[in-house]
PDB file of all heavy atoms in Angstrom:
ATOM      1  N   SER A  51      58.339 209.010  54.515  1.00 90.00           N
ATOM      2  CA  SER A  51      59.794 209.068  54.313  1.00 90.00           C
ATOM      3  C   SER A  51      60.359 207.663  54.321  1.00 90.00           C
ATOM      4  O   SER A  51      60.018 206.856  55.186  1.00 90.00           O
ATOM      5  CB  SER A  51      60.450 209.892  55.422  1.00 90.00           C
ATOM      6  OG  SER A  51      59.855 211.164  55.517  1.00 90.00           O
ATOM      7  N   TYR A  55      69.515 201.803  54.110  1.00 95.00           N
ATOM      8  CA  TYR A  55      70.770 201.779  54.836  1.00 95.00           C
ATOM      9  C   TYR A  55      71.552 200.529  54.404  1.00 95.00           C
ATOM     10  O   TYR A  55      70.975 199.485  54.103  1.00 95.00           O
ATOM     11  CB  TYR A  55      70.531 201.715  56.353  1.00 95.00           C
ATOM     12  CG  TYR A  55      70.188 203.036  56.986  1.00 95.00           C
ATOM     13  CD1 TYR A  55      68.902 203.566  56.888  1.00 95.00           C
ATOM     14  CD2 TYR A  55      71.149 203.761  57.689  1.00 95.00           C
ATOM     15  CE1 TYR A  55      68.590 204.785  57.468  1.00 95.00           C
ATOM     16  CE2 TYR A  55      70.846 204.981  58.275  1.00 95.00           C
ATOM     17  CZ  TYR A  55      69.562 205.483  58.160  1.00 95.00           C
ATOM     18  OH  TYR A  55      69.257 206.692  58.742  1.00 95.00           O
ATOM     19  N   GLN A  57      74.598 197.881  55.669  1.00 95.00           N
ATOM     20  CA  GLN A  57      75.287 197.420  56.865  1.00 95.00           C
ATOM     21  C   GLN A  57      76.267 196.326  56.481  1.00 95.00           C
ATOM     22  O   GLN A  57      75.856 195.229  56.079  1.00 95.00           O
ATOM     23  CB  GLN A  57      74.290 196.911  57.917  1.00 95.00           C
ATOM     24  CG  GLN A  57      74.954 196.545  59.227  1.00 95.00           C
ATOM     25  CD  GLN A  57      73.954 196.140  60.306  1.00 95.00           C
ATOM     26  OE1 GLN A  57      72.861 195.664  59.998  1.00 95.00           O
ATOM     27  NE2 GLN A  57      74.324 196.345  61.555  1.00 95.00           N
ATOM     28  N   SER A  62      77.999 199.056  61.850  1.00 93.00           N
ATOM     29  CA  SER A  62      76.709 199.704  62.045  1.00 93.00           C
ATOM     30  C   SER A  62      76.135 200.161  60.713  1.00 93.00           C
ATOM     31  O   SER A  62      76.877 200.360  59.749  1.00 93.00           O
ATOM     32  CB  SER A  62      76.870 200.898  62.987  1.00 93.00           C
ATOM     33  OG  SER A  62      77.252 200.463  64.266  1.00 93.00           O
ATOM     34  N   LEU A  65      73.532 205.362  56.032  1.00 92.00           N
ATOM     35  CA  LEU A  65      72.533 205.764  55.055  1.00 92.00           C
ATOM     36  C   LEU A  65      73.144 205.833  53.659  1.00 92.00           C
ATOM     37  O   LEU A  65      74.224 206.385  53.472  1.00 92.00           O
ATOM     38  CB  LEU A  65      71.957 207.137  55.429  1.00 92.00           C
ATOM     39  CG  LEU A  65      70.898 207.688  54.485  1.00 92.00           C
ATOM     40  CD1 LEU A  65      69.610 206.888  54.636  1.00 92.00           C
ATOM     41  CD2 LEU A  65      70.628 209.161  54.770  1.00 92.00           C
ATOM     42  N   ASN A 116      57.336 209.778  65.002  1.00 72.00           N
ATOM     43  CA  ASN A 116      58.495 209.809  64.126  1.00 72.00           C
ATOM     44  C   ASN A 116      59.344 208.568  64.268  1.00 72.00           C
ATOM     45  O   ASN A 116      60.555 208.606  64.083  1.00 72.00           O
ATOM     46  CB  ASN A 116      59.337 211.048  64.425  1.00 72.00           C
ATOM     47  CG  ASN A 116      58.708 212.295  63.863  1.00 72.00           C
ATOM     48  OD1 ASN A 116      58.771 212.530  62.672  1.00 72.00           O
ATOM     49  ND2 ASN A 116      58.091 213.079  64.720  1.00 72.00           N
ATOM     50  N   LYS A 117      58.702 207.463  64.528  1.00 80.00           N
ATOM     51  CA  LYS A 117      59.426 206.218  64.715  1.00 80.00           C
ATOM     52  C   LYS A 117      59.952 205.725  63.388  1.00 80.00           C
ATOM     53  O   LYS A 117      59.211 205.605  62.407  1.00 80.00           O
ATOM     54  CB  LYS A 117      58.504 205.169  65.337  1.00 80.00           C
ATOM     55  CG  LYS A 117      59.219 203.879  65.682  1.00 80.00           C
ATOM     56  CD  LYS A 117      58.336 202.975  66.526  1.00 80.00           C
ATOM     57  CE  LYS A 117      57.217 202.369  65.750  1.00 80.00           C
ATOM     58  NZ  LYS A 117      56.490 201.363  66.562  1.00 80.00           N
ATOM     59  N   LEU A 118      61.246 205.463  63.336  1.00 87.00           N
ATOM     60  CA  LEU A 118      61.872 204.915  62.138  1.00 87.00           C
ATOM     61  C   LEU A 118      61.939 203.414  62.297  1.00 87.00           C
ATOM     62  O   LEU A 118      62.635 202.905  63.177  1.00 87.00           O
ATOM     63  CB  LEU A 118      63.267 205.514  61.956  1.00 87.00           C
ATOM     64  CG  LEU A 118      64.029 205.113  60.689  1.00 87.00           C
ATOM     65  CD1 LEU A 118      63.296 205.562  59.445  1.00 87.00           C
ATOM     66  CD2 LEU A 118      65.441 205.684  60.709  1.00 87.00           C
TER      67      LEU A 118
ATOM     68  N   TYR B  44      67.771 207.461  69.234  1.00 94.00           N
ATOM     69  CA  TYR B  44      67.086 206.175  69.143  1.00 94.00           C
ATOM     70  C   TYR B  44      67.923 205.078  69.790  1.00 94.00           C
ATOM     71  O   TYR B  44      69.152 205.100  69.730  1.00 94.00           O
ATOM     72  CB  TYR B  44      66.915 205.743  67.683  1.00 94.00           C
ATOM     73  CG  TYR B  44      65.827 206.400  66.897  1.00 94.00           C
ATOM     74  CD1 TYR B  44      66.019 207.630  66.291  1.00 94.00           C
ATOM     75  CD2 TYR B  44      64.615 205.754  66.712  1.00 94.00           C
ATOM     76  CE1 TYR B  44      65.016 208.204  65.540  1.00 94.00           C
ATOM     77  CE2 TYR B  44      63.603 206.320  65.952  1.00 94.00           C
ATOM     78  CZ  TYR B  44      63.816 207.542  65.366  1.00 94.00           C
ATOM     79  OH  TYR B  44      62.822 208.108  64.611  1.00 94.00           O
ATOM     80  N   TYR B  46      68.050 200.857  69.310  1.00 96.00           N
ATOM     81  CA  TYR B  46      67.596 199.678  68.585  1.00 96.00           C
ATOM     82  C   TYR B  46      68.331 198.458  69.139  1.00 96.00           C
ATOM     83  O   TYR B  46      69.405 198.574  69.728  1.00 96.00           O
ATOM     84  CB  TYR B  46      67.905 199.777  67.088  1.00 96.00           C
ATOM     85  CG  TYR B  46      67.097 200.798  66.336  1.00 96.00           C
ATOM     86  CD1 TYR B  46      67.552 202.103  66.190  1.00 96.00           C
ATOM     87  CD2 TYR B  46      65.887 200.455  65.751  1.00 96.00           C
ATOM     88  CE1 TYR B  46      66.816 203.043  65.498  1.00 96.00           C
ATOM     89  CE2 TYR B  46      65.143 201.390  65.043  1.00 96.00           C
ATOM     90  CZ  TYR B  46      65.619 202.680  64.923  1.00 96.00           C
ATOM     91  OH  TYR B  46      64.875 203.604  64.224  1.00 96.00           O
ATOM     92  N   GLN B  48      69.658 194.550  67.825  1.00 95.00           N
ATOM     93  CA  GLN B  48      69.869 193.701  66.661  1.00 95.00           C
ATOM     94  C   GLN B  48      70.405 192.354  67.108  1.00 95.00           C
ATOM     95  O   GLN B  48      71.538 192.258  67.601  1.00 95.00           O
ATOM     96  CB  GLN B  48      70.830 194.354  65.662  1.00 95.00           C
ATOM     97  CG  GLN B  48      70.937 193.597  64.350  1.00 95.00           C
ATOM     98  CD  GLN B  48      71.707 194.360  63.287  1.00 95.00           C
ATOM     99  OE1 GLN B  48      72.660 195.068  63.579  1.00 95.00           O
ATOM    100  NE2 GLN B  48      71.280 194.224  62.027  1.00 95.00           N
ATOM    101  N   ARG B 109      64.078 215.800  63.239  1.00 68.00           N
ATOM    102  CA  ARG B 109      63.164 214.673  63.243  1.00 68.00           C
ATOM    103  C   ARG B 109      63.577 213.733  62.102  1.00 68.00           C
ATOM    104  O   ARG B 109      64.001 214.191  61.054  1.00 68.00           O
ATOM    105  CB  ARG B 109      61.727 215.150  63.058  1.00 68.00           C
ATOM    106  CG  ARG B 109      61.248 215.989  64.211  1.00 68.00           C
ATOM    107  CD  ARG B 109      59.807 216.373  64.095  1.00 68.00           C
ATOM    108  NE  ARG B 109      59.388 217.182  65.226  1.00 68.00           N
ATOM    109  CZ  ARG B 109      59.009 216.691  66.394  1.00 68.00           C
ATOM    110  NH1 ARG B 109      58.977 215.390  66.577  1.00 68.00           N
ATOM    111  NH2 ARG B 109      58.664 217.490  67.379  1.00 68.00           N
ATOM    112  N   PRO B 110      63.454 212.440  62.320  1.00 62.00           N
ATOM    113  CA  PRO B 110      64.038 211.463  61.386  1.00 62.00           C
ATOM    114  C   PRO B 110      63.476 211.532  59.979  1.00 62.00           C
ATOM    115  O   PRO B 110      64.133 211.096  59.042  1.00 62.00           O
ATOM    116  CB  PRO B 110      63.745 210.118  62.045  1.00 62.00           C
ATOM    117  CG  PRO B 110      62.648 210.385  62.994  1.00 62.00           C
ATOM    118  CD  PRO B 110      62.831 211.797  63.455  1.00 62.00           C
ATOM    119  N   GLU B 114      69.110 211.942  58.212  1.00 83.00           N
ATOM    120  CA  GLU B 114      69.591 210.597  58.416  1.00 83.00           C
ATOM    121  C   GLU B 114      69.949 210.363  59.873  1.00 83.00           C
ATOM    122  O   GLU B 114      70.251 211.286  60.622  1.00 83.00           O
ATOM    123  CB  GLU B 114      70.806 210.331  57.531  1.00 83.00           C
ATOM    124  CG  GLU B 114      72.064 211.072  57.943  1.00 83.00           C
ATOM    125  CD  GLU B 114      73.227 210.753  57.027  1.00 83.00           C
ATOM    126  OE1 GLU B 114      73.730 209.617  57.097  1.00 83.00           O
ATOM    127  OE2 GLU B 114      73.611 211.640  56.244  1.00 83.00           O
ATOM    128  N   LEU B 115      69.963 209.096  60.221  1.00 89.00           N
ATOM    129  CA  LEU B 115      70.394 208.672  61.539  1.00 89.00           C
ATOM    130  C   LEU B 115      71.873 208.302  61.475  1.00 89.00           C
ATOM    131  O   LEU B 115      72.328 207.665  60.522  1.00 89.00           O
ATOM    132  CB  LEU B 115      69.603 207.452  61.996  1.00 89.00           C
ATOM    133  CG  LEU B 115      68.404 207.701  62.912  1.00 89.00           C
ATOM    134  CD1 LEU B 115      67.399 208.601  62.265  1.00 89.00           C
ATOM    135  CD2 LEU B 115      67.799 206.381  63.324  1.00 89.00           C
ATOM    136  N   GLY B 118      76.000 204.608  66.406  1.00 96.00           N
ATOM    137  CA  GLY B 118      77.207 204.252  67.119  1.00 96.00           C
ATOM    138  C   GLY B 118      77.641 202.850  66.721  1.00 96.00           C
ATOM    139  O   GLY B 118      76.981 202.180  65.929  1.00 96.00           O
TER     140      GLY B 118
END
Side-chain angles (χ1 to χ4, degrees):
Chain A
S51 306
Y55 280 79
Q57 185 176 27
S62 295
L65 180 71
N116 284 284
K117 185 169 72 173
L118 184 62
Chain B
Y44 282 83
Y46 290 91
Q48 188 171 35
R109 295 185 180 277
E114 70 180 289
L115 263 59

